[in-house]
Every structure is written in C-alpha cells, then in structure tokens.
Amino acid sequence: MEAGGASSRELAASPSASSRPASFEVAEVSEDAEVRASPQMYSAVGMAMVGAAMFGFDQGNFGDVQAFKSFRDEWCIGRFGDAESCGDQGYLTNGNWNENFITWGATLITFGAAAGAILAGPPLANKLGRRPCIQVGGAVCFLGCILASYASFHSVVIFFIGRFITGFGVGVSCFALPMYNAEVSTSSIRGATGSLFQLNVVVGCFISIIVTFVDQDWYVCMMLPGFAGAVLAIGGFFIPESPRFVMEKTIHREGTEAAMNAGMRYLTRLRSGDARPEAGEILEQVKEERDIEHVSFTGLFRERNLRKRVLIACTLVICQQTTGVNAFLGYASAIFKECGIQDPIVFNSLFNGVMIFGCVAGLLLVDSKYGGRRSQLLIATVLMGPPLVLAGLALQYGLPGIITMVCVIIYGVGFQFAWGTIPWIYPAEIFTMAEKEAAVSLAVGVNYLANAAIIYITPLLMEWSKSGTLLFFGILNMLNAFFVFTFIKETKGVHLEHIPELFRSERQRRALLRAEQRAAESAASSPAAQA
C-alpha cells in the first residue's frame, strides 16, 4: 500500500478526471438536486438490514447464554466438569469447559461466516442476484440455529455443526448486504444507509441482551438469529433487486436497450425524480465492463491500484477486529465479571444500550459536512484507545470499579460511532462491479477470520492478565489511527463509478493520462480516421 491519493474535490480537477465524461461533476449535482431516495428504497434497505440484526442477535446471545445455569447443566456437567466446576463461580476458571466448548462455540460461527462469505456468497450473488443471496443466507442461518438448539439432541458434535452452519448463513447474507445497500442507495446518503447495517447489528445485539436477561431459556435464546433469518428469507421476496445487477445480466442476454429498460424498472422504484441520468451512468459502466470477466481472487493482486484497494479493505476489517469489541461481546459475562462488575449481564445490557447512541450519531454524521469516513474513524480511535488504557490501569492498580465501567462505556460509544459501521461500508464502495464480488467476499471473509482469532486469543489474554487485556486492545486501537491517517481516502458523496480513481497517486494519474492521450492520437492518425 502507499500513502497519498486525492479527495473528491481534487479528483474532479485532476488530469485523469479531465479525461472522464463531462458529466462527472454534473452527475453528482444532478442526483442531489433532482433525484431522491424513494420510500421503497428505505423499505428495501430496511428489510435487507434484518440480516444485520441476525448477525447482531448472534453477537449478543452467546456471550450471555454461556452463563445460564440451564445451559451449563445441559452442556458442562458430566462432559466438561462436575456440579462445582460448572457452577456459578466454577465455570469461570474451568479450563476444560472454556477451552474445549465455549471457545469452539464462539469461534465456529466465525469460521462458518468466513466460509459462507468466501465460498458461497460470490457465486450466489453473481448468478442469482444480491437479493436471493441475502435470502439464502437467512434460511441457512435458521437451519443452523435449529441444530444448535431444539435439534441438537444433547450432542456436542451436532451443537458445533449447528454453530458452523449458523455462521455460514450469516456470512452468505453479510457478504451481499453491503453490496446491495451500496447499489440501491443514492450517493448522497449511501454512507448513512450503509451505517444502518451496524445500527441493526447493535440493535439486534441489544435486543438479544434484553431477551437473555428476561428469559433464560437457552433454547429460545440460541434461536434468536434463526428467527431473524426466517424473516429475511421470506421478506426478501418483497424488495427489488439491485438495478446494477439487473443491467449487468440483461445486457449480456438482450442488449443495451433492454438493459436500460430493465434497470429503469428497478431504479424508478428506488428513486423519486428523474432517474434516467443515473441509469445512463450505470449503464455506461456496465457497458465498459461487459466484455471484462469478473475478477478472480488471484486477479485482485495483479493490477497496482486494485491490489492497493484490496489491501486497504482487508486491513481495515482486521483493524475493526483489533479494536477488541467482539472480545467484549463474545465473552461479555466472563470479562465484565473478571473486571469486578458484580452483575455482568445487567452491565452488558447497559453497555449495548449506550452503544446504540454512538451508532445513531455516526449514522447522522457520516454523509454530512461535519462527518465522513476518514474523520469519524480518527475521532473514534481517540474515544476508544485512551479509555481502554485507562481502564486497564485502573484495574491493575485497584482503582474504583466505576472508572473501569465508565471507560468501557466510552469505548463502546466510540466503536459504534465509526469502527462498527465504516468497515462494512467502505469495501462495498471502493471496487467496481467487475472487482466487487471477489474483493468484498475476501474482505468479509478476512473480517470473520480476524474475528475468530480475537475470540480465540481473548481467554488466553484474560488468563494472562485482566488489566493487560484491556491495555493490549487499548494500544491496538491507537495504532489503528496510523493506518487510517495514512491510507483511508474520503468517499463521502463520490459516485461509485469514480471512487477507484481516488486511490491513484498523482504519478499514476499522470501516467494514465499520457497513455489515454497516446491512444487518442494513434486513433486520430489511423487511416480509417483520416478517411
């Protein structure tokens, strides 16, 4: 990766931009002035975001379910310990239980999600469409939850298979969700609607915390992601397909005019106002890519600009996991109890409830003149790193527990202000249609693998040092600021078709301009042109 690049304003005036159609700036203005999101667009994004809530339900439920007495009676006693080592205090230090059941129960879902996002998501989204991909993921998640609860038949093996299948379904849906959102939303509010993904994750997580607090029936609580998956699988029939996907498939079968008409049928359902200029711009991009095969996983690393964007997207999602939030969610009860919090489930409810406010604030700002992808990531890092370091020091030196509690809450708000949302938005924005399926699939898969790594090492870190765990994640959060400052470019308000140009250095843009000029001069001097 390399530093540098241009902002959207610089791009409009850059040499490479001058070789673009004159509609570059006009398209941005015309969309803002004449074309608005229709109510059906919000309905489509809202239904798709049930998939995010599905992800949130699973993020929130297992961290509390593992502390249920009924769950420990079912899975711990007689398998991983006796009544004492599986009791209210014993399970926290029961290495056999934590290492051989809880850790696998938490990580298998992330391994499954990575597999779903990499293996099944791309072919489903490419062959069937974004919407069917989201629906299939919901149905698979429902099946996995059944196997991990009512149909587990007291078998650890079946429970683990159910956890993997649940994650597989989540991965399939969450692969397509950011793509679907980016392709159906107007550019002026694309970041805000993309932020709905994380808002729904947080709301789903919060609801699962409330449910697990009120009803400690582990069967019901383990089914929560499956209930959302069932709604997603059925509700998906009532939302439109991505106009970009429709145009791309239609142009191959029936030609340009049919592709324009088909795309307009879907786009007019998603826009209020004259959608023809936007449809024309989408069609132009689809025509440019008509004879270009979709980029394979190996092809992602052949061209310099694309390779740079892939590495940025993958590093960004790794940074999201190194914030440590999934350590708090996956082991909420154990971590908060080890930090001296008397009622960890109640505090976890407070923790997740307050995070909603951070998510809403980030959503409102991400497309406004006061916010943006890059600036919010930097602000969030300041809200996350230092408080975690302070919390670790407070724990190490025996300072009042309220300090640790307040610092952890500030950290949670900071995470949802930017790091919870933007790493899901950004990869879906910075790739072309030909690149997007492989690149987003890789980024989502890397995200879940990094998630699994964090969940796996967290118990080891806690065993090593509780205060050291907080200090470890606090320092990682501050290191994330360097990456954002150096490599993240602002994509707020820039059309999807022009975002890849932001990542070219000035030298690359000049070289591209010279190549285009040479090609134009060669074409002009050819015998056919002179004739």
Side-chain angles (χ1 to χ4, degrees):
M1 292 181 290
E2 58 188 23
S7 68
S8 57
R9 290 182 181 274
E10 291 169 338
L11 177 61
S14 70
S16 62
S18 64
S19 65
R20 297 265 171 193
S23 61
F24 175 84
E25 292 183 78
V26 175
E28 289 189 288
V29 174
S30 64
E31 182 176 329
D32 291 338
E34 300 177 15
V35 180
R36 300 177 304 278
S38 71
Q40 191 166 5
M41 193 212 81
Y42 288 113
S43 298
V45 172
M47 176 55 69
M49 289 303 109
V50 173
M54 175 179 70
F55 181 30
F57 285 143
D58 191 78
Q59 289 286 295
N61 70 339
F62 194 65
D64 281 348
V65 167
Q66 62 188 257
F68 288 1
K69 184 180 184 303
S70 61
F71 186 75
R72 287 183 276 114
D73 289 345
E74 174 73 26
W75 298 108
C76 184
I77 295 177
R79 290 186 174 95
F80 300 96
D82 53 23
E84 181 178 354
S85 61
C86 296
D88 291 341
Q89 296 298 324
Y91 81 94
L92 292 172
T93 56
N94 184 338
N96 189 28
W97 164 250
N98 288 308
E99 293 171 16
N100 296 319
F101 187 83
I102 295 300
T103 297
W104 281 107
T107 55
L108 277 171
I109 192 167
T110 57
F111 286 129
I118 294 174
L119 300 178
L124 285 172
N126 183 39
K127 300 297 182 183
L128 301 180
R130 281 53 165 143
R131 184 185 67 177
C133 183
I134 294 169
Q135 291 177 276
V136 168
V140 171
C141 178
F142 178 79
L143 173 63
C145 287
I146 289 288
L147 291 175
S149 57
Y150 294 104
S152 60
F153 303 114
H154 313 292
S155 168
V156 172
V157 173
I158 294 177
F159 179 86
F160 283 165
I161 291 173
R163 291 294 286 169
F164 183 87
I165 292 175
T166 298
F168 194 92
V170 170
V172 170
S173 283
C174 289
F175 162 75
L177 282 169
M179 294 171 58
Y180 180 80
N181 172 77
E183 292 171 11
V184 302
S185 299
T186 61
S187 63
S188 60
I189 58 171
R190 189 177 63 238
T193 55
S195 297
L196 288 174
F197 181 92
Q198 185 62 19
L199 178 60
N200 278 270
V201 170
V202 178
V203 170
C205 193
F206 180 68
I207 292 173
S208 70
I209 298 298
I210 297 300
V211 172
T212 56
F213 178 72
V214 174
D215 181 6
Q216 297 200 354
D217 183 337
W218 75 267
Y219 289 100
V220 173
C221 293
M222 289 299 292
M223 274 299 301
L224 290 177
F227 294 146
V231 171
L232 190 66
I234 297 171
F237 290 107
F238 301 96
I239 60 176
E241 181 56 88
S242 157
R244 278 180 170 82
F245 174 81
V246 171
M247 284 188 181
E248 185 184 43
K249 291 304 177 183
T250 305
I251 200 171
H252 285 282
R253 297 192 306 264
E254 303 174 38
T256 301
E257 184 176 351
M260 182 67 171
N261 292 334
M264 278 293 293
R265 283 198 298 272
Y266 286 90
L267 196 61
T268 52
R269 295 168 60 186
L270 299 165
R271 302 288 185 265
S272 296
D274 186 5
R276 285 174 296 179
E278 182 182 358
E281 186 167 325
I282 295 171
L283 184 62
E284 285 303 311
Q285 186 196 24
V286 170
K287 286 166 63 178
E288 288 177 8
E289 298 175 349
R290 177 170 49 183
D291 298 322
I292 301 175
E293 294 184 4
H294 284 270
V295 177
S296 65
F297 285 110
T298 56
L300 293 175
F301 299 94
R302 290 175 183 164
E303 192 269 324
R304 186 175 183 179
N305 180 271
L306 175 56
R307 180 171 62 249
K308 177 180 177 180
R309 285 178 282 128
V310 169
L311 293 175
I312 287 174
C314 290
T315 306
L316 181 63
V317 298
I318 291 173
C319 288
Q320 183 191 49
Q321 296 305 320
T322 60
T323 62
V325 71
N326 284 315
F328 287 96
L329 295 176
Y331 297 98
S333 297
I335 288 178
F336 293 145
K337 196 162 189 175
E338 292 283 359
C339 288
I341 295 168
Q342 295 302 313
D343 195 333
I345 294 182
V346 171
F347 181 75
N348 195 26
S349 301
L350 176 64
F351 177 67
N352 282 273
V354 171
M355 284 201 296
I356 293 177
F357 293 100
C359 192
V360 171
L363 187 154
L364 295 175
L365 289 174
V366 71
D367 283 318
S368 76
K369 63 180 180 179
Y370 302 106
R373 283 64 159 164
R374 187 171 185 268
S375 61
Q376 286 181 223
L377 286 171
L378 291 172
I379 292 170
T381 303
V382 174
L383 293 173
M384 296 167 67
L388 274 190
V389 171
L390 179 58
L393 293 174
L395 197 62
Q396 182 174 351
Y397 292 104
L399 300 179
I402 188 67
I403 296 177
T404 300
M405 294 172 66
V406 171
C407 288
V408 168
I409 287 175
I410 293 172
Y411 156 85
V413 171
F415 176 82
Q416 298 301 350
F417 181 70
W419 280 101
T421 57
I422 292 170
W424 288 104
I425 300 171
Y426 209 72
E429 291 183 327
I430 64 176
F431 299 105
T432 67
M433 289 289 286
E435 304 161 350
K436 190 172 292 186
E437 282 155 13
V440 173
S441 169
L442 181 62
V444 173
V446 168
N447 193 334
Y448 286 121
L449 290 175
N451 186 350
I454 292 298
I455 289 175
Y456 184 81
I457 68 170
T458 297
L460 303 177
L461 288 171
M462 291 293 291
E463 185 177 349
W464 162 66
S465 171
K466 304 174 187 64
S467 60
T469 301
L470 298 178
L471 290 170
F472 173 76
F473 285 121
I475 292 170
L476 286 180
N477 273 281
M478 290 189 285
L479 290 176
N480 286 345
F482 172 78
F483 166 74
V484 174
F485 185 81
T486 307
F487 298 110
I488 297 298
K489 314 303 174 208
E490 186 55 65
T491 58
K492 177 181 64 179
V494 181
H495 282 264
L496 293 175
E497 290 74 22
H498 306 297
I499 287 176
E501 295 295 332
L502 296 174
F503 295 87
R504 295 190 187 277
S505 66
E506 186 64 29
R507 181 174 58 82
Q508 288 175 311
R509 289 198 298 274
R510 288 173 181 167
L512 181 63
L513 177 61
R514 287 195 296 269
E516 290 174 346
Q517 288 173 339
R518 285 195 297 269
E521 291 169 359
S522 176
S525 61
S526 67
Q530 292 175 353

Coordinates of all heavy atoms in Angstrom, one line a residue, residues 162-202:
G162 N -24.2 -27.1 14.2 CA -25.2 -26.0 14.1 C -24.6 -24.6 14.2 O -25.0 -23.7 13.5
R163 N -23.6 -24.5 15.1 CA -22.9 -23.2 15.2 C -22.2 -22.8 13.9 O -22.3 -21.7 13.4 CB -21.9 -23.2 16.3 CG -22.5 -23.3 17.7 CD -23.3 -22.0 18.0 NE -22.4 -20.9 18.3 CZ -22.8 -19.7 18.5 NH1 -24.1 -19.4 18.3 NH2 -22.0 -18.7 18.8
F164 N -21.6 -23.8 13.2 CA -20.9 -23.5 12.0 C -21.9 -23.1 10.9 O -21.6 -22.2 10.1 CB -20.1 -24.7 11.6 CG -19.3 -24.5 10.3 CD1 -18.0 -24.0 10.4 CD2 -19.8 -24.9 9.1 CE1 -17.2 -23.8 9.2 CE2 -19.1 -24.7 7.9 CZ -17.8 -24.1 8.0
I165 N -23.0 -23.9 10.8 CA -24.0 -23.6 9.8 C -24.6 -22.3 10.0 O -24.9 -21.5 9.1 CB -25.0 -24.8 9.7 CG1 -24.4 -26.0 9.2 CG2 -26.2 -24.4 8.8 CD1 -25.3 -27.3 9.2
T166 N -24.9 -21.9 11.3 CA -25.4 -20.6 11.6 C -24.5 -19.5 11.0 O -24.9 -18.6 10.4 CB -25.6 -20.4 13.1 OG1 -26.5 -21.4 13.6 CG2 -26.1 -19.0 13.4
G167 N -23.2 -19.7 11.3 CA -22.3 -18.7 10.8 C -22.2 -18.7 9.3 O -22.0 -17.6 8.7
F168 N -22.3 -19.8 8.7 CA -22.2 -19.9 7.2 C -23.4 -19.1 6.6 O -23.1 -18.3 5.7 CB -22.4 -21.4 6.8 CG -22.0 -21.6 5.4 CD1 -20.7 -22.0 5.0 CD2 -23.0 -21.5 4.4 CE1 -20.4 -22.2 3.7 CE2 -22.7 -21.7 3.0 CZ -21.4 -22.1 2.7
G169 N -24.6 -19.2 7.2 CA -25.7 -18.4 6.7 C -25.5 -16.9 6.9 O -25.8 -16.1 6.1
V170 N -25.0 -16.5 8.1 CA -24.7 -15.1 8.4 C -23.6 -14.6 7.4 O -23.8 -13.5 6.9 CB -24.1 -15.0 9.8 CG1 -23.6 -13.6 10.1 CG2 -25.3 -15.3 10.8
G171 N -22.6 -15.4 7.1 CA -21.6 -15.0 6.1 C -22.1 -14.7 4.7 O -21.7 -13.8 4.1
V172 N -23.0 -15.6 4.3 CA -23.6 -15.5 3.0 C -24.4 -14.2 2.9 O -24.3 -13.4 1.9 CB -24.5 -16.7 2.6 CG1 -25.3 -16.5 1.4 CG2 -23.6 -18.0 2.5
S173 N -25.2 -14.0 3.9 CA -26.1 -12.8 3.8 C -25.2 -11.5 4.0 O -25.4 -10.5 3.2 CB -27.1 -12.8 5.0 OG -28.2 -13.6 4.7
C174 N -24.3 -11.5 4.9 CA -23.5 -10.3 5.2 C -22.5 -10.0 4.1 O -22.0 -8.9 4.0 CB -22.8 -10.4 6.5 SG -23.9 -10.3 7.9
F175 N -22.2 -11.0 3.2 CA -21.4 -10.7 2.0 C -22.2 -9.8 1.1 O -21.7 -8.8 0.5 CB -21.0 -12.0 1.3 CG -20.6 -11.8 -0.1 CD1 -19.4 -11.3 -0.4 CD2 -21.5 -12.1 -1.2 CE1 -19.0 -11.0 -1.8 CE2 -21.1 -11.9 -2.5 CZ -19.9 -11.3 -2.8
A176 N -23.5 -10.1 0.9 CA -24.3 -9.4 -0.1 C -24.9 -8.1 0.4 O -25.2 -7.2 -0.3 CB -25.4 -10.3 -0.6
L177 N -25.1 -8.0 1.7 CA -25.8 -6.9 2.3 C -25.1 -5.5 2.0 O -25.7 -4.6 1.5 CB -25.9 -7.0 3.8 CG -27.0 -8.0 4.3 CD1 -26.9 -8.3 5.8 CD2 -28.4 -7.3 4.0
P178 N -23.8 -5.4 2.2 CA -23.1 -4.1 1.9 C -23.2 -3.8 0.4 O -23.4 -2.6 0.0 CB -21.7 -4.3 2.4 CG -21.7 -5.4 3.4 CD -22.8 -6.3 2.9
M179 N -23.0 -4.8 -0.4 CA -23.1 -4.6 -1.9 C -24.5 -4.1 -2.3 O -24.7 -3.2 -3.0 CB -22.8 -5.9 -2.6 CG -21.4 -6.4 -2.4 SD -21.1 -8.0 -3.1 CE -21.6 -7.8 -4.8
Y180 N -25.5 -4.8 -1.7 CA -26.9 -4.4 -2.0 C -27.2 -3.0 -1.6 O -27.8 -2.2 -2.4 CB -27.8 -5.4 -1.3 CG -29.3 -5.1 -1.6 CD1 -29.9 -5.6 -2.8 CD2 -30.1 -4.4 -0.7 CE1 -31.3 -5.3 -3.1 CE2 -31.4 -4.2 -1.0 CZ -32.0 -4.6 -2.1 OH -33.3 -4.3 -2.4
N181 N -26.8 -2.7 -0.4 CA -27.0 -1.3 0.1 C -26.3 -0.3 -0.8 O -26.9 0.7 -1.2 CB -26.5 -1.2 1.5 CG -26.6 0.2 2.0 OD1 -27.6 0.7 2.3 ND2 -25.5 0.9 2.0
A182 N -25.1 -0.5 -1.1 CA -24.3 0.5 -1.9 C -24.9 0.7 -3.3 O -24.9 1.7 -3.9 CB -22.9 0.1 -2.1
E183 N -25.5 -0.4 -3.9 CA -26.0 -0.4 -5.2 C -27.5 0.2 -5.3 O -27.9 0.6 -6.4 CB -25.9 -1.8 -5.9 CG -24.5 -2.2 -6.1 CD -24.3 -3.6 -6.5 OE1 -25.4 -4.3 -6.8 OE2 -23.2 -4.1 -6.5
V184 N -28.2 0.1 -4.3 CA -29.6 0.7 -4.3 C -29.7 2.1 -3.7 O -30.7 2.7 -4.0 CB -30.6 -0.3 -3.6 CG1 -30.5 -1.7 -4.2 CG2 -30.4 -0.3 -2.1
S185 N -28.7 2.5 -3.0 CA -28.8 3.8 -2.3 C -28.3 4.9 -3.2 O -27.4 4.7 -4.1 CB -28.0 3.8 -1.0 OG -28.4 2.8 -0.1
T186 N -28.8 6.1 -3.0 CA -28.3 7.3 -3.7 C -26.9 7.7 -3.1 O -26.7 7.4 -1.9 CB -29.2 8.5 -3.5 OG1 -29.4 8.8 -2.1 CG2 -30.6 8.2 -4.1
S187 N -26.0 8.3 -3.9 CA -24.7 8.5 -3.4 C -24.7 9.5 -2.2 O -23.9 9.5 -1.3 CB -23.8 9.1 -4.5 OG -24.3 10.3 -5.0
S188 N -25.7 10.4 -2.2 CA -25.7 11.4 -1.1 C -26.0 10.9 0.3 O -25.7 11.5 1.3 CB -26.8 12.5 -1.5 OG -28.1 12.0 -1.6
I189 N -26.7 9.7 0.3 CA -27.0 9.1 1.6 C -26.5 7.7 1.7 O -26.9 6.9 2.6 CB -28.5 9.2 1.9 CG1 -29.3 8.4 0.8 CG2 -29.0 10.6 2.1 CD1 -30.8 8.2 1.2
R190 N -25.6 7.3 0.8 CA -25.1 5.9 0.8 C -24.4 5.6 2.1 O -24.6 4.5 2.6 CB -24.1 5.8 -0.4 CG -23.7 4.3 -0.6 CD -22.8 4.2 -1.9 NE -21.6 5.0 -1.7 CZ -21.2 6.0 -2.5 NH1 -21.9 6.3 -3.5 NH2 -20.0 6.6 -2.2
G191 N -23.7 6.5 2.7 CA -23.0 6.2 3.9 C -24.0 6.0 5.1 O -23.8 5.2 5.9
A192 N -25.0 6.9 5.1 CA -26.0 6.8 6.2 C -26.8 5.5 6.1 O -27.0 4.8 7.1 CB -26.9 8.0 6.1
T193 N -27.2 5.1 4.9 CA -27.9 3.8 4.8 C -27.0 2.6 5.1 O -27.4 1.6 5.6 CB -28.6 3.7 3.4 OG1 -27.6 3.8 2.4 CG2 -29.7 4.7 3.2
G194 N -25.7 2.8 4.7 CA -24.8 1.7 5.0 C -24.6 1.6 6.5 O -24.4 0.5 7.0
S195 N -24.6 2.7 7.2 CA -24.5 2.7 8.6 C -25.7 2.0 9.3 O -25.5 1.5 10.4 CB -24.4 4.1 9.2 OG -23.3 4.8 8.7
L196 N -26.8 1.9 8.6 CA -27.9 1.1 9.1 C -27.5 -0.4 9.4 O -28.1 -1.0 10.2 CB -29.1 1.2 8.2 CG -29.8 2.5 8.1 CD1 -30.9 2.4 7.0 CD2 -30.5 2.8 9.4
F197 N -26.5 -0.8 8.6 CA -26.1 -2.2 8.9 C -25.6 -2.4 10.3 O -26.1 -3.2 11.0 CB -24.9 -2.6 7.9 CG -24.4 -4.0 8.0 CD1 -24.9 -5.0 7.3 CD2 -23.4 -4.3 8.9 CE1 -24.5 -6.3 7.4 CE2 -22.9 -5.5 9.1 CZ -23.5 -6.6 8.3
Q198 N -24.7 -1.5 10.7 CA -24.2 -1.6 12.1 C -25.2 -1.2 13.1 O -25.2 -1.8 14.2 CB -22.9 -0.8 12.2 CG -22.2 -0.9 13.6 CD -21.7 -2.3 13.8 OE1 -21.5 -3.1 12.9 NE2 -21.5 -2.7 15.1
L199 N -26.1 -0.3 12.8 CA -27.1 0.1 13.7 C -28.0 -1.1 14.0 O -28.4 -1.4 15.2 CB -28.0 1.2 13.2 CG -29.2 1.7 14.1 CD1 -28.7 2.1 15.4 CD2 -30.0 2.8 13.4
N200 N -28.3 -1.9 13.0 CA -29.1 -3.1 13.2 C -28.4 -4.2 13.9 O -29.0 -4.9 14.6 CB -29.6 -3.6 11.8 CG -30.9 -2.8 11.3 OD1 -32.0 -3.2 11.6 ND2 -30.7 -1.7 10.6
V201 N -27.0 -4.2 13.7 CA -26.2 -5.2 14.4 C -26.3 -4.8 15.9 O -26.5 -5.7 16.8 CB -24.8 -5.2 14.0 CG1 -23.9 -6.0 14.9 CG2 -24.6 -5.7 12.6
V202 N -26.2 -3.5 16.2 CA -26.2 -3.1 17.6 C -27.6 -3.3 18.2 O -27.7 -3.8 19.4 CB -25.8 -1.6 17.7 CG1 -25.9 -1.1 19.2 CG2 -24.4 -1.4 17.2

